[in-house]
Amino acid sequence: MTQQQEIAALQAMVDDSRRIVFFGGAGVSTESGIPDFRSVDGLYSQQYTYPPEEMLSHTMFQLHPEEFYRFYRNKMLYLDAKPNAAHRKLAELEAAGKLSAVVTQNIDGLHQAAGSQKVYELHGSVYRNYCTRCGKMYAVQDILRSEGIPKCTCGGIIKPDVVLYEEGLDQEILQGALRAIQEADMLIIGGTSLVVYPANGLVEYFHGKHLAVINKSPTHMDGRADLVIAGSIGEILERIQVSASEKV
């Protein structure tokens, strides 16, 4: 199929659906200028004392919090990033009553910034931070303004509300995402290599009518998909039309 034919096929699926769920990963945010972990220009290709998965591990946070925060501030906070065409189209589809949820592995808050309301953040958010001793919440600006290890007024260490390596996912968010995928009549997988466990296992629970994969590289779900488009998630979704009669 030509890309024009692929877009037409995707449009037909979207038009035929009322409970679309979007499952996305780092590839959605790279188009906003946020590097992913596994691309040629991503964090894995850069040289550090430890690999990124070790720098962002629970062990590093516990044993070497100052080193953890030096990496975290430098490489995980992109507060100037803006929503791109993919974020905006998904918010538009939700406003039209066609998309029921976004399930994201990203921690950058760009889906909400674009206007999405129902977002399951599997790996948390850089915008939420809490004291490990008393639970007091802090904004991301508090982390940026601090030096070394950010401390609460009670003296406890502040931790980002993100899922670090060696940590489990929030069960309430996981169950909500699972339920949304199970109830969906269409699942769009986009901007993710589907290699991060256990998040990648969620898509296996989709049993709806239409499954589309939009990604620059192959995924293990390509063989099951009704439509696979190799390309930019933003450029593809931007070409999808949402009927004015469907908007609320």
Side-chain angles (χ1 to χ4, degrees):
M1 276 197 290
T2 65
Q3 189 172 83
Q4 188 172 355
Q5 291 172 321
E6 291 172 339
I7 297 293
L10 180 62
Q11 182 73 63
M13 292 179 184
V14 169
D15 291 343
D16 188 47
S17 304
R18 292 295 178 273
R19 295 185 309 281
I20 302 171
V21 167
F22 178 81
F23 183 96
V28 180
S29 293
T30 53
E31 295 176 33
S32 290
I34 299 177
D36 70 3
F37 275 59
R38 292 173 175 80
S39 68
V40 174
D41 299 319
L43 293 179
Y44 274 102
S45 67
Q46 301 176 25
Q47 297 301 311
Y48 299 101
T49 307
Y50 302 99
E53 56 195 1
E54 205 167 322
M55 296 296 294
L56 295 172
S57 68
H58 181 77
T59 297
M60 182 65 72
F61 177 79
Q62 289 285 95
L63 300 182
H64 308 286
E66 189 159 3
E67 188 69 10
F68 167 87
Y69 265 111
R70 190 166 66 85
F71 180 89
Y72 181 81
R73 288 189 186 96
N74 289 340
K75 297 298 178 184
M76 302 307 292
L77 299 179
Y78 293 87
L79 304 188
D80 292 332
K82 304 296 182 188
N84 60 53
H87 298 108
R88 292 192 295 270
K89 183 60 67 173
L90 292 169
E92 184 183 353
L93 285 166
E94 183 183 24
K98 295 185 70 67
L99 184 139
S100 55
V102 168
V103 180
T104 180
Q105 299 170 82
N106 298 332
I107 60 175
D108 50 49
L110 289 178
H111 284 292
Q112 292 92 329
S116 290
Q117 301 294 315
K118 195 67 173 179
V119 182
Y120 292 101
E121 296 175 304
L122 296 176
H123 296 151
S125 171
V126 299
Y127 287 91
R128 297 187 301 269
N129 304 272
Y130 64 92
C131 173
T132 54
R133 181 184 295 176
C134 73
K136 182 179 177 180
M137 298 300 294
Y138 286 87
V140 66
Q141 288 77 14
D142 296 316
I143 303 300
L144 284 176
R145 281 194 296 263
S146 64
E147 294 182 3
I149 304 168
K151 295 288 186 68
C152 176
T153 52
C154 78
I157 297 177
I158 299 171
K159 180 184 182 296
D161 189 13
V162 300
V163 179
L164 303 178
Y165 287 95
E166 305 168 344
E167 295 181 338
L169 302 188
D170 181 285
Q171 287 302 301
E172 187 175 342
I173 292 173
L174 188 63
Q175 289 301 316
L178 175 61
R179 188 163 52 249
I181 289 171
Q182 288 176 323
E183 294 173 355
D185 57 6
M186 179 178 185
L187 178 64
I188 302 174
I189 298 172
T192 174
S193 53
L194 289 178
V195 298
V196 177
Y197 179 85
N200 60 352
L202 283 175
V203 297
E204 303 285 350
Y205 291 89
F206 173 71
H207 302 293
K209 189 174 181 181
H210 302 298
L211 173 59
V213 177
I214 308 169
N215 200 50
K216 291 181 178 179
S217 58
T219 77
H220 77 268
M221 291 295 285
D222 290 5
R224 286 179 48 185
D226 303 297
L227 178 65
V228 178
I229 304 178
S232 157
I233 183 70
E235 292 175 8
I236 302 299
L237 288 186
E238 191 172 34
R239 295 171 65 181
I240 296 302
Q241 300 300 310
V242 179
S243 172
S245 63
E246 294 171 334
K247 294 182 180 179
V248 294

